[in-house]
Amino acid sequence: MAVSVRRSIQLAAALALATSVSSLHAAPAKPAAVPDIPIPNIKYTKFTLKNGLTVLVHEDRKTPVVAINTWYHVGSKNEKVGKTGFAHLFEHLMFSGSDNFNHTYLNAMERIGATDLNGTTNQDRTNYFQNVPTSMLDYALFAESDRMGHLLGTVDKKKLDIQRGVVQNEKRQYENQPYGIAWELLTTNTYPAGHPYSWTVIGKMEDLDAASMTDVQDWFKQNYGPNNTVLVLSGDISPEEARKKVEQYYGAIPPGPPLAKHDAWIAKRTGTHRTVAQDRVPQSRVYRTWNVPGAHTPEEALLDLGARVLGGGKTSRLYKRLVYQDQLATSATASDSSSEIGGQFSMTLTARPGGDVANMEKVADDELRALMKSGPTDAELRLAKTAILAQYTRMIERVGGFGGKSDLLASCETYTGNPDCYKVYLQRIKDATPATVKKAMNDWLGDGDFVLQIDPFPTGLAATETGLDRSKTPEAGKAMSLKLPSMQRTTLSNGLKVVLAERHEAPVVNLQLLVDSGYASDSADMPGVASLALRMLEEGTRTRKSLQIGEELESLGATFGASTNLDGAFVGMNALKATLPQALNLYSDLVLNPSFPQNEFTRLQQDRLAAIAREKSDPQSIAMRVAPALLYGANHVYAKPGTGTGTEDAVKRMTRTDLANYHATWFKPNNATLLVVGDTTLAEIKPMLEKAFASWKAGEVPNKAIAEVAPRAAPVVYLVDRPGALQSVILGGQLAPPRNSPEALPLELVNDVFGGTFSSRINMNLREDKHWSYGVRSMVSPAIGQRQFMSISPVQTDKTGDALKELVGEYRNIAGAKPIANDELKFAQDNKTLRLPGSFETAGQLAGAYSTILQYGLPEDYYNTYTEKALALTPQQANALASRSFIADRLVWVVVGDMAKVEKDIRALNLGEVRKIDVDGKPLP
């Protein structure tokens, strides 16, 4: 449940810069022509019930999963001044149960194995989505239709107060983050008072406090009828099956009343307005925003392309000038955010710590003016087009919400009445020229009336009696079998192990190189080398420079990413089938021949220092940084900051030679596995890999010594002071057996009962029952050695001591004071097993799962046998494991918050020795 934010913040500047920058983009290396990337075609069947419900059905039999995506055409713009936040509040209330389905919705959906499960609200719509096993479709449709047609009988003052508290904690959590105050300042300063976009989606605290039961009921009756809704079913279902089920579950719901619809209201501004504010952040940041035409206008595609050229990544003008050349900023981006009745074009500039903010603004303005004067070059426009077309190509892998096929169809139908509207947008992208992009930018970025239109209310809307007995919930189905592609194996002539999983539904190939190293391979006095070395892989090779690499990736429609975790390094590329040979040539060069150029190292060294400073200003990041050394002991190979970024001292002493030595030491074919997932075969890919990696030679690799840590004798509480914090973050930590332990799978289930799901004990306690937090959780981090097993609880400041007491009680309860009940275990088992089919939809998801198998030495059939093993766990076994795994009297507690307000309450609990530490984990008096 979340607010979907699609607009950024305005802090505008119109200062001129005399220095010429034409050399930056006069003649870039010319990329290949735009690949012939076809516009996706998502086949669908559309029908409308007599009550006005619009239904779209897309059939995709790839996995036994159906995505249910419900879009209500109501968002914050439909609210009124003084009654803001209702759309988002109602999004939460609709998760609380309905007349004939009186269950907490997330609990019920987790129980049947739903994935991609959530709801969001933005200015224009509220949506709910979940992917469910095909066998659970009737159950889910009953639940979705019941909260549409039969909600208000269960919405009482208690539920209203609970969800009002949860939303207010969500607002606090947003505002407690670095730059959190920018959200409100943007909204209130970029639109005139009374404009439908002039208040935030989450609303004002005082409006939420004042919301009455009558207000809430009237809001629902007005906006959530079937005639204001689009329902998309995408996946393992035919149009005929869908029509029958939708008529059965939704047909009898009466239509809502006539609705007013906002027309376009761009609210174009004149002049420059400036606001300066302060926040607890390590760097200055400037947001600059213009009001422009919104979604589904001809200008949208042109401004999207202009934003990519100006600030859309490493190939953009802002990045080249501000981040790369002048090094005035650590990030510099531009975006065009399109909402229904208007859009916003924004630049976001983050200055280097202590940098010249005014000069950064001047340079950014100069780059914008240069682009508006000349327009993008042909080469720049080709890169921008390829990036957008490639993005949409990848979207068709997924059926569900958050950017899958059902989202595209629902969005287009909701806003335009044409489910194919994305094709219009993409054709506009293809047809754009430098001249048309230039004109759009000059029309809207160079330097307003309200029309009310009333149309006849459609006649003939009526409910149809279906005979459905809503006193009986459909029987829940059972876990479905999972048939994942086999892991085909081969070895290249240099010893590199290759694993292939074929997926031919989308013309995409995912490459993932796994190298045995990780944070644990860093020396104790130089943490952060591994992650910085991986970050620098794309910053230059012996034959390619940093910006050239970015341009080549975009010209191929490929994406590249390198990362590290505790035990490994990962180098990934997602390539289009059409450009795979060229992409492999680039990929192997990035893997084998990084040059770690000094100028790039110097720049990224400063970026890394800024990143560490940001982490040390964020409460949860602070807790994650200090926890490993407190849990493992300072000399353990796992005792580095949990974010992997290292320490400021180490990064300052680091040289490019340290990174080159890391690569030379650990990147050996005999110390790596290449995982390939997607639209290829072993016969096709192996010769290409032999050629690409022919120069890579095997060699000796050091042995990582992962010591075992003895159990702690007594609990310790560590306090980190963050004056003025709006919330406290409470971390409870201990150690668990390795990822490949026989206890790992049962512990996942036990942890789900405790804190691993929305329905878990600690989240139900602190969020749902007491509404002291927006959400708390617990997790077991993967590792080859002993794993970190921790709970993370952000809570409002005045409830810190009470929340810590509750958490201690929950640890003791799960360990035996309140044993796991049969229904709790069954819930966890159902959630884990039923959701499996929805966890392997994309090549990236499958690669992630197979990477886990390969990195931690799990059986190849791990996921195929997961259901059987999970369901075999008995309550007696679960409780025995819980008693061994949750030991409140040996926990390490870390509390990050305003100690002037919370320290006294924490000490009064007498949990154990209390020690004060700073943000680096060093002892304080």
Side-chain angles (χ1 to χ4, degrees), residues 288 291 323 368 381 621 725 736 769 785 795 884:
R288 191 175 176 192
N291 291 347
V323 179
L368 172 65
L381 193 56
S621 295
D769 293 343
V795 300
R884 299 193 302 270

mmCIF file of all heavy atoms in Angstrom, residues 288 291 323 368 381 621 725 736 769 785 795 884:
data_model
loop_
_atom_site.group_PDB
_atom_site.id
_atom_site.type_symbol
_atom_site.label_atom_id
_atom_site.label_comp_id
_atom_site.label_asym_id
_atom_site.label_seq_id
_atom_site.Cartn_x
_atom_site.Cartn_y
_atom_site.Cartn_z
ATOM 1 N N ARG A 288 14.151 21.769 -10.317
ATOM 2 C CA ARG A 288 13.630 22.831 -11.173
ATOM 3 C C ARG A 288 12.534 22.242 -12.045
ATOM 4 O O ARG A 288 12.769 21.245 -12.733
ATOM 5 C CB ARG A 288 14.758 23.421 -12.015
ATOM 6 C CG ARG A 288 14.385 24.690 -12.735
ATOM 7 C CD ARG A 288 15.586 25.281 -13.462
ATOM 8 N NE ARG A 288 15.212 26.451 -14.232
ATOM 9 C CZ ARG A 288 15.992 27.038 -15.133
ATOM 10 N NH1 ARG A 288 17.209 26.561 -15.341
ATOM 11 N NH2 ARG A 288 15.571 28.088 -15.800
ATOM 12 N N ASN A 291 5.498 23.357 -15.586
ATOM 13 C CA ASN A 291 4.224 22.709 -15.885
ATOM 14 C C ASN A 291 4.059 22.597 -17.395
ATOM 15 O O ASN A 291 4.185 23.600 -18.123
ATOM 16 C CB ASN A 291 3.063 23.495 -15.277
ATOM 17 C CG ASN A 291 3.049 23.411 -13.765
ATOM 18 O OD1 ASN A 291 3.736 22.596 -13.173
ATOM 19 N ND2 ASN A 291 2.258 24.264 -13.124
ATOM 20 N N VAL A 323 28.340 16.055 -13.960
ATOM 21 C CA VAL A 323 28.875 14.948 -13.169
ATOM 22 C C VAL A 323 30.246 14.530 -13.673
ATOM 23 O O VAL A 323 31.177 14.333 -12.898
ATOM 24 C CB VAL A 323 27.905 13.741 -13.202
ATOM 25 C CG1 VAL A 323 28.463 12.571 -12.406
ATOM 26 C CG2 VAL A 323 26.542 14.143 -12.654
ATOM 27 N N LEU A 368 20.630 23.437 -20.690
ATOM 28 C CA LEU A 368 19.251 23.452 -21.160
ATOM 29 C C LEU A 368 19.090 24.432 -22.311
ATOM 30 O O LEU A 368 18.483 24.107 -23.342
ATOM 31 C CB LEU A 368 18.321 23.828 -20.004
ATOM 32 C CG LEU A 368 16.854 24.068 -20.380
ATOM 33 C CD1 LEU A 368 16.211 22.789 -20.895
ATOM 34 C CD2 LEU A 368 16.074 24.610 -19.178
ATOM 35 N N LEU A 381 19.238 11.650 -30.352
ATOM 36 C CA LEU A 381 17.842 11.258 -30.488
ATOM 37 C C LEU A 381 17.721 9.758 -30.733
ATOM 38 O O LEU A 381 16.800 9.110 -30.221
ATOM 39 C CB LEU A 381 17.184 12.046 -31.623
ATOM 40 C CG LEU A 381 15.654 11.970 -31.692
ATOM 41 C CD1 LEU A 381 15.025 12.414 -30.382
ATOM 42 C CD2 LEU A 381 15.130 12.811 -32.850
ATOM 43 N N SER A 621 19.678 3.070 7.299
ATOM 44 C CA SER A 621 21.013 2.784 6.764
ATOM 45 C C SER A 621 22.062 2.798 7.874
ATOM 46 O O SER A 621 22.998 1.991 7.860
ATOM 47 C CB SER A 621 21.376 3.806 5.681
ATOM 48 O OG SER A 621 20.512 3.689 4.577
ATOM 49 N N ALA A 725 15.056 13.561 15.086
ATOM 50 C CA ALA A 725 14.441 12.519 14.276
ATOM 51 C C ALA A 725 12.948 12.413 14.577
ATOM 52 O O ALA A 725 12.531 12.439 15.733
ATOM 53 C CB ALA A 725 15.122 11.178 14.530
ATOM 54 N N ALA A 736 21.985 -16.687 12.379
ATOM 55 C CA ALA A 736 21.268 -17.902 12.011
ATOM 56 C C ALA A 736 22.199 -18.793 11.192
ATOM 57 O O ALA A 736 23.223 -18.330 10.680
ATOM 58 C CB ALA A 736 20.017 -17.545 11.205
ATOM 59 N N ASP A 769 -2.455 -3.112 15.038
ATOM 60 C CA ASP A 769 -3.120 -2.980 16.331
ATOM 61 C C ASP A 769 -2.846 -1.635 16.999
ATOM 62 O O ASP A 769 -3.746 -0.999 17.542
ATOM 63 C CB ASP A 769 -2.690 -4.110 17.274
ATOM 64 C CG ASP A 769 -3.178 -5.470 16.797
ATOM 65 O OD1 ASP A 769 -4.085 -5.509 15.945
ATOM 66 O OD2 ASP A 769 -2.639 -6.492 17.261
ATOM 67 N N GLY A 785 28.214 -18.299 5.134
ATOM 68 C CA GLY A 785 28.415 -18.572 6.550
ATOM 69 C C GLY A 785 27.167 -18.249 7.341
ATOM 70 O O GLY A 785 26.053 -18.195 6.802
ATOM 71 N N VAL A 795 9.521 3.367 14.199
ATOM 72 C CA VAL A 795 8.354 3.679 15.023
ATOM 73 C C VAL A 795 8.365 5.161 15.389
ATOM 74 O O VAL A 795 9.417 5.807 15.398
ATOM 75 C CB VAL A 795 8.315 2.829 16.317
ATOM 76 C CG1 VAL A 795 8.247 1.342 15.976
ATOM 77 C CG2 VAL A 795 9.527 3.108 17.198
ATOM 78 N N ARG A 884 14.911 -22.550 19.344
ATOM 79 C CA ARG A 884 16.366 -22.513 19.161
ATOM 80 C C ARG A 884 16.831 -21.227 18.480
ATOM 81 O O ARG A 884 17.971 -20.802 18.660
ATOM 82 C CB ARG A 884 16.828 -23.702 18.295
ATOM 83 C CG ARG A 884 16.546 -25.066 18.865
ATOM 84 C CD ARG A 884 17.323 -26.155 18.115
ATOM 85 N NE ARG A 884 17.030 -26.192 16.696
ATOM 86 C CZ ARG A 884 16.063 -26.930 16.144
ATOM 87 N NH1 ARG A 884 15.259 -27.651 16.941
ATOM 88 N NH2 ARG A 884 15.862 -26.944 14.841
#
